[in-house]
Amino acid sequence: MSGTVSPPEDGLFGRFEILTAQRQLRVDGQPVALGSRAFDLLAVLVARRDRVVPKEELIGLVWPGLVVEDNNLQVQISALRKVLGTQAIATVPGRGYQFTVAAAAAAAAAAVGAVQAARAPERSVGAAPRPARLLVADDNKVNRLLLCRSLELMGHEVASADNGHTALGKLRGERFDLLLLDLEMPELDGFALLEQRAADAALHAVPVIVTSSLEGVAQVARCIELGADDYLHKPVNPVLLKARVDSSLERKRLRDRQAELLARHAPDLPDTGQAAGALPESRRATATLLCARLGQVDTLPAHDTLELLSRWITLMFDAVEGQGGLVSQIGGDTLVAAFGAHRPAGGDAGAPGAALQAAREMGELVGLFNAERSAAGSPALVLSVGIASGEVVAGQAGTPRRSAYVCVGTAVQHAAQLEALATQRGGGVLVDAATQEALSGHAAAHALVPVALPSRSMVMQAYALGPH
Amino acid sequence: MNDTVIDPHTFDELQATAGADFVVELVDTFAAEAPTLLAELHAARAAGAAERFRRAAHALKSNASTFGASRMAALARALELGGLPADATAVDTLAREFETTLAALQALARQ
């Protein structure tokens, strides 16, 4: 490791442009204010974008010769994510970070898609729809050419197929945002393709607009029953075509965004598809639950509150995922995470040790947060954390259209109560006896101090982390 | 003549949305594809293949509608919905209408 940051390569990555000489990042052509460390960090990540970069390597390159805690790195990662979007820098638990935006030219479309998906909530209603990748399936050459032309003029990238088999092959082998499907086709007609799509959860991700000159309501009804999103009669009215395409793409964008959030909540769970796929089976496991709450947030102005919570949640995700945990719930100023329920927790002390380390990192991050706020004359925020271990049932729950990763069990309730007790004590970290016992023999146990609990407490015994 | 063979509003809209140059290409494609479909009508009728006949008529109806060739589209639709005809008269009528339609389209597209 050289200990110095090599100059970043000038380059265009989706909507982002790095200008070496000016040490400047531009987004959509506009310069963005970025601290010197954050720019160095970006340069390192971009130069090594073909792999996951370990935290130690990043720290060594960005803070050469200095002893720096992980949380400094996390703060800079958080700052970059605010500018680039959450997905631009992936956290790989236990390994490090990776820059995920593809370089321009051939991969530009994919990069724009990924980054825009990450920034999706900022997109205002009525904004120009972004280009998408569309597939037109129609055996009639005149209709196929005209449809492709119309969609290309809307700014989309369009591929075509002249029968259902070819279309199905393309759908299974390439990424598409929308299929425009004719019904009357040789070999495999539109109805048969819709039936195959209905039986294949992976294909549900691609919405379908049927375009046909078949007459009769029955045909339309059958298409809708088979899962088509919309139906357009030929000859297709160009205004209607644009409206239906934009609408279908917008719905897909929202579904993708939902899936992305779900994946962030439970990244190791099997993909359930976009619509009617079966939910993964639940699992009974011994796990450690962490419940965290950021206090004093409600005293801030509304805009500041949401901005602060977004930043806090990003940092807390890093602290949890960095220790191999999964965030199972975000409730405004609270967050619940599970360690050891669906994937091995990091470190020698297993799930309890990982949860305790995550809580420690959360505390350090909030400390840095408060240092910034103090310099700006803002009141300090208070972090309260409860940790409890025990048997839980964990898995995906909800309806096929809307589900979430959840944990159920006494440990969940105990963690929540310990968090409430910690809040009453003015913040800090409280763990239950099961967690403390699990840590006996490990260094982390030495930092746990018994605390007196209210007589009516559901948790019988608790320990505080550190000298609080 | 053109006004009766081709609906000017539909054709103008097609040129406006797809581009006049592209419509020239599209008419050329129609000129290349339609004879095959007309031949399929004859072959399917002779073979007694009702579904093949219906599909070919359906494709011709669809293409004619795209260009605003409403008279040709109506003839093709009658074949699509009417089942196998007893003789080739209706197919021949459609073929003649196609020739008229194509001439009108080529004239309009190159104006």
Side-chain angles (χ1 to χ4, degrees):
Chain A
M1 196 180 305
S2 69
T4 58
V5 178
S6 53
E9 37 189 315
D10 271 351
L12 190 61
F13 298 88
R15 300 166 51 242
F16 316 128
E17 187 179 8
I18 296 174
L19 302 171
T20 309
Q22 297 95 319
R23 285 179 62 79
Q24 191 179 77
L25 172 70
R26 289 173 179 258
V27 177
D28 294 333
Q30 298 298 314
V32 172
L34 206 59
S36 178
R37 294 273 190 218
F39 187 85
D40 286 348
L41 181 59
L42 178 63
V44 169
L45 286 168
V46 167
R48 292 157 182 77
R49 62 187 178 276
D50 59 329
R51 63 181 172 90
V52 177
V53 189
K55 289 180 180 180
E56 299 74 23
E57 183 177 346
L58 287 171
I59 289 172
L61 289 166
V62 178
W63 289 269
L66 296 177
V67 178
V68 174
E69 298 291 334
D70 282 3
N71 51 29
N72 286 285
L73 175 62
Q74 287 172 334
V75 167
Q76 296 300 339
I77 291 280
S78 173
L80 284 176
R81 282 177 174 156
K82 281 181 73 178
V83 174
L84 304 173
T86 310
Q87 286 190 331
I89 300 173
T91 301
V92 183
R95 292 181 57 200
Y97 297 97
Q98 184 168 19
F99 186 75
T100 62
V101 184
V112 168
V115 171
Q116 284 180 334
R119 294 171 58 88
E122 297 164 25
R123 189 174 157 229
S124 62
V125 175
R130 67 176 167 279
R133 187 162 155 70
L134 276 51
L135 177 62
V136 171
D138 197 324
D139 66 316
N140 187 308
K141 194 172 179 183
V142 170
N143 289 341
R144 191 170 66 245
L145 290 176
L146 179 58
L147 206 46
C148 288
R149 169 74 170 182
S150 302
L151 296 167
E152 283 167 356
L153 287 174
M154 290 177 203
H156 300 302
E157 183 187 338
V158 187
S160 66
D162 62 3
N163 66 66
H165 271 307
T166 306
L168 207 55
K170 283 179 185 270
L171 283 174
R172 288 186 168 136
E174 302 172 42
R175 184 192 66 79
F176 289 100
D177 297 307
L178 180 64
L179 167 66
L180 287 105
L181 178 67
D182 181 33
L183 291 176
E184 296 258 298
M185 287 191 292
E187 297 186 42
L188 185 77
D189 67 15
F191 291 119
L193 192 150
L194 285 172
E195 283 168 4
Q196 294 211 21
R197 174 180 174 269
D200 187 340
L203 295 184
H204 274 293
V206 185
V208 179
I209 296 177
V210 171
T211 60
S212 176
S213 48
L214 280 180
E215 298 174 32
V217 175
Q219 313 283 9
V220 181
R222 191 174 164 205
C223 289
I224 301 297
E225 282 169 9
L226 287 170
D229 293 67
D230 222 327
Y231 192 104
L232 282 169
H233 278 286
K234 289 178 188 168
V236 175
N237 179 293
V239 176
L240 271 183
L241 175 67
K242 184 173 187 322
R244 301 279 171 85
V245 167
D246 287 352
S247 170
S248 286
L249 290 174
E250 179 67 7
R251 284 200 299 273
K252 180 177 188 297
R253 187 190 67 75
L254 292 172
R255 284 201 297 266
D256 287 351
R257 174 69 179 156
Q258 206 170 32
E260 176 209 323
L261 288 171
L262 198 61
R264 224 169 132 60
H265 281 248
D268 288 352
L269 294 179
D271 183 2
T272 58
Q274 299 287 320
L279 297 175
E281 286 183 9
S282 63
R283 176 180 175 183
R284 189 177 290 277
T286 299
T288 300
L289 274 294
L290 179 154
C291 181
R293 180 171 183 269
L294 191 64
Q296 306 294 320
V297 179
D298 52 355
T299 59
L300 303 172
H303 176 268
D304 291 351
T305 301
L306 295 181
E307 171 78 19
L308 182 75
L309 284 175
S310 296
R311 200 172 160 204
W312 179 69
I313 287 167
T314 302
L315 290 171
M316 296 304 105
F317 261 102
D318 275 350
V320 169
E321 292 179 350
Q323 295 299 323
L326 289 174
V327 174
S328 68
Q329 185 183 327
I330 301 172
D333 57 357
T334 61
L335 176 147
V336 178
F339 295 79
H342 261 102
R343 67 183 187 202
D348 296 335
L356 200 65
Q357 182 57 29
R360 206 189 296 269
E361 288 181 12
M362 287 177 172
E364 289 169 356
L365 289 167
V366 171
L368 282 177
F369 235 45
N370 282 337
E372 279 180 27
R373 292 175 58 76
S374 174
S378 303
L381 301 168
V382 178
L383 177 73
S384 305
V385 178
I387 297 174
S389 300
E391 196 173 70
V392 296
V393 174
Q396 206 87 349
T399 70
R401 291 183 62 187
R402 183 168 182 170
S403 62
Y405 179 67
V406 295
C407 285
V408 181
T410 308
V412 182
Q413 298 164 19
H414 284 186
Q417 197 190 25
L418 286 167
E419 175 269 300
L421 290 170
T423 301
Q424 287 172 18
R425 287 163 51 87
V429 181
L430 291 181
V431 309
D432 72 343
T435 303
Q436 192 269 345
E437 282 169 21
L439 288 172
S440 62
H442 291 280
H446 297 301
L448 297 173
V449 182
V451 296
L453 295 176
S455 57
R456 292 167 59 195
S457 171
M458 188 170 73
V459 182
M460 304 300 291
Q461 210 171 352
Y463 299 81
L465 176 65
H468 186 88
Chain B
M1 179 188 77
N2 285 344
D3 282 357
T4 56
V5 178
I6 308 294
D7 171 39
H9 175 72
T10 304
F11 192 82
D12 288 350
E13 194 172 82
L14 183 63
Q15 283 188 315
T17 53
D21 290 346
F22 178 79
V23 171
V24 172
E25 287 178 35
L26 207 60
V27 169
D28 290 345
T29 304
F30 180 50
E33 297 285 308
T36 307
L37 292 168
L38 288 165
E40 172 72 356
L41 281 179
H42 278 300
R45 194 201 65 79
E51 181 58 16
R52 274 174 57 196
F53 186 88
R54 188 193 65 76
R55 280 180 180 254
H58 174 82
L60 284 164
K61 177 194 77 173
S62 181
N63 286 355
S65 300
T66 295
F67 292 108
S70 44
R71 213 164 65 191
M72 181 182 167
L75 289 171
R77 180 174 183 270
L79 293 178
E80 180 193 5
L81 301 179
L84 282 176
D87 58 42
T89 306
V91 178
D92 290 337
T93 304
L94 179 63
R96 282 195 298 277
E97 184 61 28
F98 163 67
E99 295 300 335
T100 307
T101 298
L102 183 60
L105 283 174
Q106 287 172 331
L108 281 171
R110 288 170 171 79
Q111 272 182 4

Coordinates of all heavy atoms in Angstrom, one line a residue, chain A residues 101-136:
Chain A
V101 N -20.9 2.1 -9.8 CA -21.4 2.8 -11.0 C -20.5 2.5 -12.2 O -19.3 2.7 -12.1 CB -21.5 4.3 -10.9 CG1 -22.1 5.0 -12.1 CG2 -22.3 4.6 -9.6
A102 N -21.0 2.0 -13.3 CA -20.2 1.6 -14.5 C -19.7 2.8 -15.2 O -20.4 3.9 -15.1 CB -21.1 0.7 -15.4
A103 N -18.6 2.7 -15.9 CA -18.1 3.8 -16.7 C -19.0 4.1 -17.8 O -19.9 3.3 -18.2 CB -16.7 3.4 -17.2
A104 N -18.8 5.2 -18.5 CA -19.6 5.7 -19.5 C -19.6 4.8 -20.8 O -19.0 3.7 -20.7 CB -19.3 7.1 -19.9
A105 N -20.0 5.3 -21.9 CA -20.1 4.6 -23.1 C -21.0 3.4 -23.0 O -22.2 3.6 -22.7 CB -18.7 4.1 -23.6
A106 N -20.5 2.2 -23.3 CA -21.4 1.0 -23.4 C -22.2 0.8 -22.1 O -23.4 0.4 -22.2 CB -20.6 -0.2 -23.7
A107 N -21.6 1.1 -21.0 CA -22.3 0.8 -19.7 C -23.1 2.0 -19.2 O -23.7 1.9 -18.1 CB -21.3 0.3 -18.7
A108 N -23.1 3.1 -19.9 CA -23.7 4.3 -19.4 C -25.1 4.1 -19.1 O -25.6 4.6 -18.0 CB -23.5 5.5 -20.4
A109 N -25.8 3.5 -19.9 CA -27.3 3.3 -19.7 C -27.5 2.6 -18.4 O -28.4 2.9 -17.6 CB -27.9 2.6 -20.9
A110 N -26.7 1.5 -18.2 CA -26.9 0.7 -17.0 C -26.6 1.6 -15.7 O -27.3 1.5 -14.7 CB -26.0 -0.5 -17.0
A111 N -25.5 2.4 -15.9 CA -25.1 3.2 -14.8 C -26.1 4.2 -14.4 O -26.5 4.4 -13.3 CB -23.8 3.9 -15.1
V112 N -26.7 4.8 -15.4 CA -27.7 5.8 -15.2 C -28.9 5.2 -14.5 O -29.5 5.7 -13.5 CB -28.1 6.5 -16.5 CG1 -29.4 7.3 -16.3 CG2 -27.0 7.4 -17.0
G113 N -29.2 4.0 -15.0 CA -30.4 3.3 -14.4 C -30.1 3.0 -12.9 O -31.0 3.3 -12.1
A114 N -28.9 2.5 -12.6 CA -28.7 2.2 -11.2 C -28.6 3.4 -10.3 O -29.2 3.4 -9.2 CB -27.3 1.5 -11.1
V115 N -28.0 4.4 -10.8 CA -27.9 5.6 -10.0 C -29.2 6.3 -9.9 O -29.6 6.8 -8.8 CB -26.8 6.6 -10.6 CG1 -26.8 7.9 -9.9 CG2 -25.5 5.9 -10.5
Q116 N -30.0 6.4 -10.9 CA -31.2 7.0 -10.9 C -32.2 6.3 -10.0 O -33.0 6.8 -9.3 CB -31.8 7.2 -12.2 CG -31.2 8.4 -13.0 CD -31.7 8.6 -14.3 OE1 -32.2 7.7 -15.0 NE2 -31.6 9.8 -14.8
A117 N -32.0 4.9 -10.0 CA -32.9 4.1 -9.1 C -32.6 4.5 -7.6 O -33.5 4.7 -6.8 CB -32.6 2.6 -9.3
A118 N -31.3 4.7 -7.4 CA -30.9 5.1 -6.0 C -31.4 6.5 -5.6 O -31.7 6.7 -4.5 CB -29.4 5.1 -5.9
R119 N -31.6 7.4 -6.6 CA -32.0 8.7 -6.3 C -33.5 8.9 -6.6 O -34.1 10.0 -6.6 CB -31.3 9.7 -7.2 CG -29.8 9.8 -6.9 CD -29.1 10.6 -8.0 NE -29.6 11.9 -8.1 CZ -29.2 12.9 -7.4 NH1 -28.3 12.8 -6.5 NH2 -29.8 14.1 -7.6
A120 N -34.2 7.7 -6.8 CA -35.6 7.8 -7.3 C -36.5 8.7 -6.4 O -37.3 9.4 -6.9 CB -36.1 6.4 -7.3
P121 N -36.4 8.6 -5.1 CA -37.3 9.4 -4.3 C -37.2 10.9 -4.6 O -38.2 11.6 -4.4 CB -36.9 9.1 -2.9 CG -36.2 7.9 -2.9 CD -35.5 7.9 -4.3
E122 N -36.1 11.4 -5.1 CA -36.0 12.8 -5.4 C -36.7 13.2 -6.6 O -36.8 14.4 -6.9 CB -34.5 13.1 -5.5 CG -33.7 12.9 -4.2 CD -32.2 12.9 -4.4 OE1 -31.8 13.5 -5.4 OE2 -31.5 12.2 -3.6
R123 N -37.1 12.2 -7.5 CA -37.6 12.6 -8.8 C -39.0 13.1 -8.6 O -39.9 12.5 -7.9 CB -37.7 11.4 -9.6 CG -38.0 11.7 -11.0 CD -37.9 10.5 -11.9 NE -38.8 10.7 -13.1 CZ -39.6 9.8 -13.5 NH1 -39.8 8.7 -12.9 NH2 -40.4 10.1 -14.5
S124 N -39.3 14.3 -9.1 CA -40.6 14.9 -9.0 C -41.6 14.3 -9.9 O -41.2 13.9 -11.0 CB -40.5 16.4 -9.1 OG -40.1 16.7 -10.5
V125 N -42.8 14.4 -9.5 CA -43.9 13.9 -10.4 C -43.9 14.8 -11.6 O -43.8 16.0 -11.5 CB -45.2 14.0 -9.7 CG1 -46.4 13.6 -10.6 CG2 -45.2 13.0 -8.5
G126 N -44.0 14.2 -12.8 CA -44.1 15.0 -14.0 C -42.8 15.3 -14.7 O -42.7 15.8 -15.7
A127 N -41.7 14.8 -14.0 CA -40.4 15.0 -14.6 C -40.3 14.1 -15.9 O -41.0 13.1 -16.0 CB -39.3 14.6 -13.6
A128 N -39.4 14.5 -16.8 CA -39.3 13.7 -18.0 C -38.8 12.2 -17.6 O -37.9 12.1 -16.9 CB -38.2 14.3 -18.9
P129 N -39.5 11.2 -18.2 CA -39.1 9.9 -17.9 C -37.8 9.5 -18.5 O -37.4 10.0 -19.5 CB -40.2 9.0 -18.5 CG -40.8 9.9 -19.6 CD -40.6 11.3 -19.1
R130 N -37.0 8.7 -17.8 CA -35.6 8.4 -18.2 C -35.7 7.3 -19.3 O -36.7 6.6 -19.4 CB -34.8 8.0 -17.1 CG -35.2 6.7 -16.5 CD -34.3 6.3 -15.4 NE -34.8 5.2 -14.6 CZ -35.7 5.4 -13.6 NH1 -36.1 6.7 -13.3 NH2 -36.2 4.4 -12.9
P131 N -34.7 7.2 -20.1 CA -34.7 6.1 -21.1 C -34.8 4.7 -20.5 O -34.2 4.5 -19.4 CB -33.4 6.3 -21.8 CG -32.9 7.6 -21.5 CD -33.5 8.0 -20.1
A132 N -35.4 3.8 -21.2 CA -35.5 2.5 -20.6 C -35.2 1.5 -21.8 O -35.1 1.9 -22.9 CB -36.9 2.2 -20.1
R133 N -35.1 0.3 -21.4 CA -34.8 -0.8 -22.4 C -36.1 -1.6 -22.7 O -36.6 -2.2 -21.7 CB -33.7 -1.6 -21.9 CG -33.1 -2.6 -22.9 CD -31.8 -3.1 -22.5 NE -31.5 -4.4 -23.1 CZ -31.3 -4.7 -24.3 NH1 -31.3 -3.7 -25.2 NH2 -31.0 -5.9 -24.8
L134 N -36.6 -1.5 -23.9 CA -37.9 -2.1 -24.2 C -37.7 -3.2 -25.2 O -36.8 -3.2 -26.1 CB -38.8 -1.0 -24.8 CG -39.5 -0.1 -23.8 CD1 -38.6 0.5 -22.8 CD2 -40.3 1.0 -24.6
L135 N -38.6 -4.2 -25.2 CA -38.6 -5.3 -26.2 C -40.0 -5.2 -26.9 O -41.0 -5.2 -26.2 CB -38.4 -6.6 -25.5 CG -38.5 -7.8 -26.4 CD1 -37.4 -7.8 -27.4 CD2 -38.4 -9.1 -25.5
V136 N -39.9 -5.2 -28.2 CA -41.1 -5.3 -29.0 C -41.2 -6.7 -29.6 O -40.3 -7.1 -30.3 CB -41.1 -4.2 -30.1 CG1 -42.3 -4.4 -31.1 CG2 -41.1 -2.8 -29.5

